[in-house]
Amino acid sequence: MTSSTDKRALKILGSAYWSSSGWKNESNVSDADFAYAKKAGLMFDPIYVTHERAVQWAIASRESVSKEHVVSLFLGSLQSRRLDFRSSLGSFAVARNFPHHKWTKSETATHNCPICGMYETQNKPTDMNVLNFERFKWGGVRHANPVYIGFDLEQAAKMTAPPREAGGGKTLNNILDAAGSMPSGARLSDLERKISPLFPSNKNERRTLIGILGYCGILVDPSRPTFLETFPPFESRTDAPRSKDDWPYPVRWWRGTFGVSVNAVRFWFPEL
Ligand SMILES: [Zn+2]
C-alpha cells in the first residue's frame, strides 16, 4: 500500500474481525470479498511459518527498511491518524538487535521461545489478516513477535512516506513534553489520559503509541534492559508490580519519575 488505501478492501478487512461491540467470535468473509481484499494487498492466504522462517523473515525485513523511513512513516501517522503508518517504528525498534537464533526448549516458558517469545505453532497456519487488521486498527499490537515484525516491515518497505511536515514533529514534541513533565509517581494510564488532547486518537491507539515509544527506549525504566541497546530475551521481560494492565515490555516499567530518555530521542528523532 502506498499513501492511498483501497477503502472497500479496508472495510472488508475491518468487518472480518470487528463490529460495534468489539472483536467478532468468528470471522466470515465471503469468497468474493476475500478475493477483492487479497487483490488490493490487504488480505492474505494463511501461511505456515516455522520459528526458523520467522527469525529469518524478521531479520530480512529489518534490512529492507531504514530508520529514517520508519521514522518518516511514524511522524506522518500522528495527525493523519494513518495507523498503518505508525506501526513499523515499533517493529523496527524491536528488530534492530534481534539475534539469529534457533528454537530451544525453555524450562520456564514451555511453549514460547525463550529468546523471541514466539509461540510453538509449527503445525498451525498463521492468520496474517488478523495481524494486518491490528496494524490498521491500532498501529499494530504484536511488535515483538517475529512474524509480525517480518510482515510489518515488509509492508513498510512498500510504503511511500508522506513528505515531512511540521505537524508530526510538533505533535511528537508535545507528547514528549507531556511525558517529561508528569509527577514522579505518574503511571502509564495517567500519561495516556494526559496526551489525549494532543492528537486525534482513541485510548487503544494512545496505548499502542506509548508502547512503541517504549520499544524505542524513549519511555523506559533506565535500570532495565531496553531494545535500544540490546535484545532483552523474552524470558527476561519481567512483569512490573501491580501491572495487571497488559502493557508491553519495557514500557510497563515506566513511571513519571523516569521522564523521557534524551539519548533515545536524539537517536530516533535528531531533528526534534
Ligand atoms: Zn525465538
Side-chain angles (χ1 to χ4, degrees):
M1 286 295 98
T2 57
S3 50
S4 68
T5 304
D6 187 311
K7 285 208 170 70
R8 184 182 153 201
L10 195 54
K11 201 160 173 238
I12 294 168
L13 176 67
S15 56
Y17 295 99
W18 197 257
S19 72
S20 52
S21 47
W23 284 102
K24 288 185 175 178
N25 287 333
E26 228 176 298
S27 108
N28 50 45
V29 178
S30 74
D31 290 350
D33 277 354
F34 177 72
Y36 184 89
K38 188 177 156 185
K39 196 163 173 226
L42 288 192
M43 291 189 86
F44 309 87
D45 291 316
I47 52 172
Y48 286 85
V49 191
T50 62
H51 176 265
E52 193 172 291
R53 167 79 188 107
V55 169
Q56 286 166 355
W57 194 11
I59 291 171
S61 296
R62 169 186 78 198
E63 307 300 332
S64 72
V65 289
S66 66
K67 175 174 91 173
E68 289 72 22
H69 181 60
V70 295
V71 163
S72 293
L73 287 170
F74 176 81
L75 290 174
S77 81
L78 294 174
Q79 288 298 330
S80 68
R81 210 175 181 180
R82 280 288 301 266
L83 286 312
D84 56 322
F85 280 8
R86 190 166 302 165
S87 179
S88 60
L89 177 62
S91 297
F92 186 81
V94 174
R96 277 182 57 250
N97 295 308
F98 190 96
H100 285 279
H101 66 282
K102 288 199 187 325
W103 183 283
T104 47
K105 202 78 178 166
S106 150
E107 288 189 2
T108 50
T110 358
H111 294 289
N112 297 83
C113 169
I115 309 290
C116 70
M118 186 172 165
Y119 198 73
E120 206 175 15
T121 53
Q122 273 92 336
N123 299 320
K124 277 205 282 179
T126 301
D127 179 359
M128 303 311 296
N129 301 318
V130 72
L131 299 182
N132 205 28
F133 165 72
E134 292 171 349
R135 186 170 155 262
F136 274 90
K137 180 85 178 161
W138 298 296
V141 173
R142 312 176 212 196
H143 299 96
N145 174 329
V147 175
Y148 186 73
I149 292 172
F151 170 71
D152 189 24
L153 296 182
E154 189 175 282
Q155 296 297 313
K158 296 182 208 164
M159 297 170 87
T160 308
R164 290 236 183 154
E165 292 166 4
K170 191 161 174 281
T171 302
L172 181 60
N173 253 331
N174 292 340
I175 293 170
L176 297 177
D177 281 351
S181 58
M182 301 287 288
S184 62
R187 303 165 71 85
L188 290 166
S189 49
D190 303 319
L191 176 60
E192 181 276 307
R193 279 191 295 272
K194 173 108 176 178
I195 65 173
S196 161
L198 301 179
F199 61 116
S201 56
N202 63 32
K203 183 179 176 182
N204 284 331
E205 293 167 22
R206 290 189 292 277
R207 286 177 61 99
T208 298
L209 176 99
I210 288 170
I212 290 174
L213 295 176
Y215 294 129
C216 287
I218 292 173
L219 299 180
V220 293
D221 171 346
S223 73
R224 291 174 194 278
T226 74
F227 290 98
L228 187 64
E229 295 116 19
T230 179
F231 186 83
F234 176 75
E235 279 193 316
S236 75
R237 298 175 206 161
T238 44
D239 286 334
R242 300 187 305 277
S243 171
K244 292 179 191 138
D245 215 6
D246 214 20
W247 291 90
Y249 184 92
V251 84
R252 64 167 77 123
W253 284 97
W254 183 88
R255 293 292 176 270
T257 186
F258 302 131
V260 164
S261 161
V262 176
N263 282 344
V265 174
R266 273 200 205 114
F267 175 81
W268 292 103
F269 307 102
E271 72 282 13
L272 287 190

